[in-house]
Amino acid sequence: MSDPLDAAEATPRRGFLKSLATLAIVGTAVLSPFAAGLAFFLDPLLKRREPFRGAENGFLYVANVSQLPASGEPVHFALRADRVDAWNIFRNRTIGSVYLRLMGPGIVLALNDICPHLGCKIELKPADKTFLCPCHGAHFKLDGEQITHIAPRSMDTLLVDVRKDGGVWVKYQEFEGGKTQKVEL
Amino acid sequence: MINKLSAWFDERTGWCTAWGRFLEYSIPGGPRWRYTWGAMLAFTFFLEAVTGLLLWAAYSPGTQTAWESTFFIQHELTLGWLIRGVHHYAAHTLMVLLGLHFLQLIVYRVYLQPREVNFWVGLAMLQVVMLIFLTGFLLPWDQYGYHGSVARNKILGTAPFVGQPALTVAQGGKIMGNQTLTRFFALHAGLLPAIAIGLLVVYSRLVFRHGLAVGEKTRSEPAVRYWPDQALRDGLACLGVLAIVVGLTAWVGAPLWGPANNVDSFGAARPEWEFLFLFRFLKMEFIQKHGVEVGAVYIPTLIAGVIVLMPFIGRSRAGHIFNLSFLGVLLAGMGYLSFIAVKEDAADLEYQAAYHEAEREGHRAVELASALGIPGGGAMELVQHDPLFMGPKLFARRCANCHRLDGKNGLGADVWKVTFNPDHSKNFAVDPATAADLGGFGSREWMLKVLTDYDATFEPLKNATHNGKNVGERFLTGDMASWCKDNAEVLKQPANAASVKALVEFLAAQSGRKDLQPYDAALVAAGREVFASATLASGSLSSACIDCHGMHVAGEETALSENSGAGAPTLTGYGGRKWLIDFLKQPGHADFYGDNNAMPSFEQSMSPQEIELLVDWMLGDYYRPEASPSKAE
Ligand code: FES
């Protein structure tokens, strides 16, 4: 009998090639969705999407220096821009908030209020002249330096540009939580 | 006939035989309550699957639909509260049952040869269920889920090398948003349950392969069929689980907090109680020294490593004792940490206040959504335009530094001076007010109090300082204060009660506030006379109101009086919307306190919309549910 299957069996080399081809074909069929799927799934790593729009060279207007007390007491300000969230854009939304402190004439310190520990929002405790995070109790001085070591680093300072008209512009950035180094997200 | 049918069917599927074999399965030593654990676990899992699929049919992941659809499930859909409640509490039950199950396995040394793989598969299942549990809590996109997840996700991010990329992939970006919900939902309802079911199949195969793990003594006792004695016990145990879960749903209900707000601080952020120990663990002194990842990643991994090795360690008697002690220390530690976390929170007045505020916001959000419906922009759009939702928060943040509202901060909490002790505990000293208590501002009672009890109304001003100088005294010694002192007797004479009442009515009417209506027209007219002429029923006032205050009654052509400009506020529209808005913007304007002013201007530090929300709330102008007998929940 000359059944093709038997023939294949008969010549080991042809049989081997056939198995190999079969494996390749089945493998391609089965694995290709996974390959494409992996790229699809890892999109957040492959494409960087800006979390907001409307900054001038990365800087956002926050306040006027005249709003900051000469005593150096920090004041909390919300930053507004167009928040981009996947398919949505929200016009003129609060995208983050900062504490501003007047350190000297025309010198402003900007601290991101996101806790460098695990990301809760830090609160100002005026009576104690400190900052406190309500989550695990990370405690900071008014210049952002840590008092306890619950958070791995001090509060994150942001770049500030004080313009001629007294406008305080801040480069808003967020950083990875729980790390000793300040790594931008 | 039935027999024939089943025989036909069995020949083609083998199912009847398998079912029979299952029922015939003999249990060494007879039925035990202890053996119901597997059934309870399977049943709870089944409950989760059924309710989960139902919720799936109603839930919509997305930052403007997640809270909204969860609200709809909880408060609108038929039996939605039940389905969601069961899903919620069965999840907690599953965690507890799984935890206890592992305790049993270790205590009774069930992991010994040849059941090591059972044990590991079980551990893997525990991990997967835990992930399902954690991803699930984000899905309502409410305050608790959101803020809990922020911290949890950042913990994931601290893992070495892979942490941050894994976090970015899981969140679908650097920060949480729409893609976080779609991805967490896919994990929670799709991928992770599929893995869990796969593991469950492997696990039950292994259990059947090795049979029930029983001691020598039990093995020597006669075996009894599964059906019906053990089946009955299993059934009762499952019914017990159902009763507990439904009971909790009916009495407590699955919580739905306010919609996630990533803008403000959320002082009530805590993990689910099962993980409270981890939360407290991260505050420990030595974790502080070595970094978050040590407490959140390395130590848990180490502990998990020991547990994985337990089947080998537990072979010898000494090893078994080690396993038991390890477990004992672990449990005691978890218990202790949870306990102090609760204790510390109970002593933390700020936490308590934050918790109550979270509850208040949650209730108001649901109330608004139920009554008014949710706009396309989502529930945040709804609550952020609601004076009752926003007003008290704004008052607490902006006004309560100096003012009080009925002695509190507007949110019902005291205003504290908080200081910290070296052990990180807090001291709370009630902070004295430095400006008037605004409880009832603009009401008739308020007007009367200002006129007849000026000193008490403005007494807190004696504490008001600015740059070390007292700025409040002048209000207590100024013209109005002396006028009130001079006229106190006349004003309090019983014969003048009607005149005073009329003056108050006239003043109150200036605001045009809806919630004070109706105004008594006759009284208003009489009060106008008093205001202008200073004549009372018996005697007269030392000077008339118009001598100092400007007043232009709404709708009249000419003003009654012009403002004297000497720091006596214009009373045109006094206490009304426009008056208050203008006042908040520039209290030092010549129309208001002028040079006497001690209050900061809010023109720049608050947005126009914020000022309006605050004012509308103070004027009682917001949606109120009909004063019907409050419908349950
Ligand atoms: S997030 Fe701030 S202390 Fe943990």
Side-chain angles (χ1 to χ4, degrees):
Chain A
M1 297 266 266
S2 61
D3 190 296
L5 273 174
D6 286 346
E9 219 81 55
T11 42
R13 210 169 73 87
R14 265 184 71 193
F16 173 73
L17 280 179
K18 204 182 244 177
S19 311
L20 204 66
T22 313
L23 271 180
I25 288 164
V26 173
T28 310
V30 173
L31 291 181
S32 54
F34 282 100
L38 197 67
F40 176 82
F41 189 66
L42 295 184
D43 167 89
L45 288 180
L46 304 175
K47 269 191 203 161
R48 190 185 159 84
R49 295 194 163 75
E50 294 306 328
F52 63 86
R53 281 183 209 161
E56 272 181 33
N57 300 324
F59 284 81
L60 287 169
Y61 173 80
V62 186
N64 194 286
V65 237
S66 61
Q67 287 171 260
L68 304 176
S71 60
E73 193 183 327
V75 187
H76 196 230
F77 289 101
L79 279 79
R80 296 178 87 87
D82 296 342
R83 156 71 76 211
V84 183
D85 178 6
W87 53 85
N88 283 131
I89 182 154
F90 303 100
R91 305 276 172 210
N92 195 19
R93 274 277 176 107
T94 300
I95 54 136
S97 35
V98 293
Y99 288 102
L100 294 187
R101 271 189 86 188
L102 196 62
M103 308 298 282
I107 305 170
V108 174
L109 173 72
L111 297 168
N112 196 327
D113 70 351
I114 296 180
C115 183
H117 185 231
L118 296 174
C120 293
K121 293 257 179 181
I122 298 169
E123 295 170 355
L124 173 67
K125 299 289 158 197
D128 197 56
K129 292 206 167 32
T130 53
F131 289 112
L132 179 83
C133 178
C135 287
H136 311 90
H139 201 189
F140 307 89
K141 291 188 199 158
L142 286 191
D143 57 8
E145 194 194 321
Q146 49 183 348
I147 300 170
T148 62
H149 289 263
I150 288 172
R153 60 174 190 267
S154 294
M155 283 171 74
D156 296 317
T157 51
L158 298 171
L159 288 179
V160 185
D161 178 19
V162 184
R163 307 232 169 131
K164 273 200 206 79
D165 59 356
V168 181
W169 295 65
V170 167
K171 181 164 186 191
Y172 186 72
Q173 291 172 302
E174 292 182 19
F175 305 90
E176 289 181 10
K179 307 259 171 84
T180 359
Q181 271 96 34
K182 201 173 145 188
V183 185
E184 201 203 334
L185 271 182
Chain B
M1 178 65 200
I2 299 234
N3 279 345
K4 248 197 198 151
L5 204 67
S6 68
W8 182 92
F9 201 61
D10 195 40
E11 202 188 323
R12 279 149 188 88
T13 61
W15 288 348
C16 301
T17 322
W19 183 240
R21 237 185 290 135
F22 175 67
L23 297 182
E24 292 291 330
Y25 188 81
S26 60
I27 300 160
R32 299 275 154 91
W33 282 108
R34 181 148 66 78
Y35 298 159
T36 60
W37 224 263
M40 284 198 288
L41 277 171
F43 175 69
T44 317
F45 199 85
F46 159 81
L47 272 184
E48 288 298 70
V50 172
T51 51
L53 280 168
L54 290 168
L55 291 173
W56 192 339
Y59 173 76
S60 166
T63 55
Q64 284 138 105
T65 52
W67 188 90
E68 292 72 5
S69 56
T70 310
F71 156 79
F72 194 67
I73 291 168
Q74 183 74 23
H75 294 279
E76 303 287 336
L77 286 179
T78 311
L79 290 189
W81 62 273
L82 180 66
I83 303 298
R84 180 164 174 262
V86 167
H87 195 71
H88 177 91
Y89 287 109
H92 283 289
T93 311
L94 196 58
M95 290 300 289
V96 173
L97 285 176
L98 267 175
L100 291 177
H101 184 53
F102 271 87
L103 236 56
Q104 285 184 322
L105 294 186
I106 294 168
V107 171
Y108 294 109
R109 295 170 95 179
V110 181
Y111 48 54
L112 287 184
Q113 194 189 1
R115 295 193 178 78
E116 295 96 330
V117 180
N118 296 24
F119 184 72
W120 292 331
V121 173
L123 271 181
M125 233 153 57
L126 180 69
Q127 293 298 313
V128 173
V129 169
M130 208 151 86
L131 285 176
I132 298 180
F133 186 81
L134 293 177
T135 44
F137 274 92
L138 176 71
L139 299 182
W141 202 248
D142 63 354
Q143 286 283 68
Y144 259 78
Y146 177 84
H147 291 277
S149 296
V150 168
R152 251 192 316 261
N153 291 0
K154 295 230 171 183
I155 288 179
L156 171 64
T158 65
F161 310 115
V162 289
Q164 191 59 43
L167 172 61
T168 307
V169 171
Q171 283 187 164
K174 302 287 186 183
I175 52 176
M176 300 222 290
N178 279 317
Q179 288 283 285
T180 317
L181 279 166
T182 55
R183 281 169 181 248
F184 270 45
F185 187 44
L187 287 172
H188 176 81
L191 185 62
L192 292 171
I195 296 175
I197 289 168
L199 289 170
L200 199 65
V201 169
V202 173
Y203 190 73
S204 47
R205 293 236 153 168
L206 288 172
V207 168
F208 274 96
R209 181 186 167 90
H210 299 306
L212 283 173
V214 289
E216 288 306 318
K217 217 177 102 249
T218 329
R219 209 184 297 275
S220 60
E221 287 167 31
V224 178
R225 288 197 324 160
Y226 175 77
W227 188 266
D229 288 351
Q230 184 61 40
L232 178 65
R233 280 177 167 74
D234 282 354
L236 283 173
C238 293
L239 213 56
V241 168
L242 188 65
I244 290 174
V245 167
V246 172
L248 283 167
T249 305
W251 280 305
V252 191
L256 177 61
W257 301 84
N261 163 356
N262 56 5
V263 173
D264 299 326
S265 150
F266 184 63
R270 292 291 181 272
E272 290 72 50
W273 62 265
E274 289 93 334
F275 295 93
L276 204 54
F277 72 91
L278 186 61
F279 162 83
R280 185 59 185 77
F281 187 55
L282 294 181
K283 287 182 171 185
M284 301 287 285
E285 208 69 45
F286 79 98
I287 303 294
Q288 296 185 28
K289 251 191 241 125
H290 295 103
V292 186
E293 66 277 19
V294 173
V297 182
Y298 297 156
I299 293 180
T301 310
L302 212 66
I303 292 173
V306 173
I307 295 178
V308 166
L309 292 178
M310 276 188 176
F312 300 124
I313 304 171
R315 275 190 190 154
S316 67
R317 178 127 198 92
H320 181 53
I321 290 173
F322 169 83
N323 280 352
L324 287 184
S325 346
F326 185 81
L327 207 63
V329 171
L330 202 64
L331 287 176
M334 283 161 61
Y336 172 72
L337 286 170
S338 308
F339 170 74
I340 51 173
V342 171
K343 208 179 94 183
E344 285 172 355
D345 281 347
D348 187 341
L349 299 177
E350 284 187 308
Y351 169 76
Q352 305 288 334
Y355 187 89
H356 285 132
E357 170 55 8
E359 274 186 327
R360 185 190 78 84
E361 289 181 13
H363 285 145
R364 181 61 178 171
V366 167
E367 185 172 84
L368 288 172
S370 303
L372 310 179
I374 301 170
M380 269 321 260
E381 200 177 295
L382 183 63
V383 296
Q384 282 182 334
H385 291 101
D386 175 40
L388 184 56
F389 189 93
M390 297 299 292
K393 282 166 27 132
L394 289 166
F395 186 92
R397 212 178 303 149
R398 299 297 187 171
C399 315
N401 287 336
C402 306
H403 293 281
R404 299 291 177 274
L405 195 86
D406 297 322
K408 304 289 182 184
N409 70 347
L411 293 168
D414 280 314
V415 178
W416 298 290
K417 257 196 170 81
V418 187
T419 49
F420 297 85
N421 302 322
D423 66 349
H424 314 317
S425 64
K426 301 179 191 172
N427 287 343
F428 297 94
V430 175
D431 200 13
T434 57
D437 191 313
L438 296 178
F441 173 81
S443 64
R444 295 175 177 89
E445 296 75 31
W446 166 268
M447 306 294 177
L448 186 67
K449 205 169 95 186
V450 172
L451 286 172
T452 57
D453 214 354
Y454 183 90
D455 281 357
T457 309
F458 295 101
E459 194 201 56
L461 274 156
K462 70 177 191 292
N463 303 320
T465 54
H466 183 66
N467 292 337
K469 276 205 302 274
N470 186 297
V471 291
E473 280 304 343
R474 56 197 181 215
F475 279 83
L476 297 166
T477 54
D479 295 343
M480 186 70 191
S482 357
W483 185 91
C484 285
K485 208 165 286 154
D486 295 345
N487 295 295
E489 243 167 77
V490 199
L491 287 167
K492 280 179 189 152
Q493 265 176 35
N496 285 332
S499 308
V500 173
K501 194 170 173 214
L503 180 56
V504 162
E505 189 73 9
F506 171 69
L507 285 170
Q510 298 314 307
S511 69
R513 269 169 74 159
K514 274 189 243 123
D515 61 337
L516 295 182
Q517 280 166 0
Y519 300 105
D520 184 325
L523 270 182
V524 170
R528 189 181 192 281
E529 269 312 298
V530 179
F531 189 87
S533 68
T535 357
L536 299 171
S538 149
S540 64
L541 298 163
S542 60
S543 60
C545 307
I546 56 166
D547 293 347
C548 302
H549 295 283
M551 167 64 82
H552 189 157
V553 177
E556 293 183 8
E557 201 150 299
T558 53
L560 210 52
S561 59
E562 294 302 330
N563 185 21
S564 69
T570 299
L571 295 181
T572 303
Y574 179 54
R577 192 169 196 265
K578 181 174 181 316
W579 190 92
L580 261 178
I581 290 174
D582 290 346
F583 181 77
L584 278 172
K585 282 184 178 164
Q586 282 190 36
H589 189 275
D591 278 347
F592 299 112
Y593 289 138
D595 294 340
N596 282 342
N597 179 49
M599 176 166 146
S601 142
F602 288 90
E603 189 152 38
Q604 287 199 31
S605 59
M606 287 174 81
S607 71
Q609 202 209 358
E610 281 179 324
I611 292 183
E612 283 172 24
L613 284 165
L614 178 63
V615 164
D616 286 340
W617 168 66
M618 289 187 70
L619 300 182
D621 191 7
Y622 45 77
Y623 166 77
R624 280 166 232 252
E626 297 296 318
S628 61
S630 60
K631 68 169 182 181
E633 256 258 84

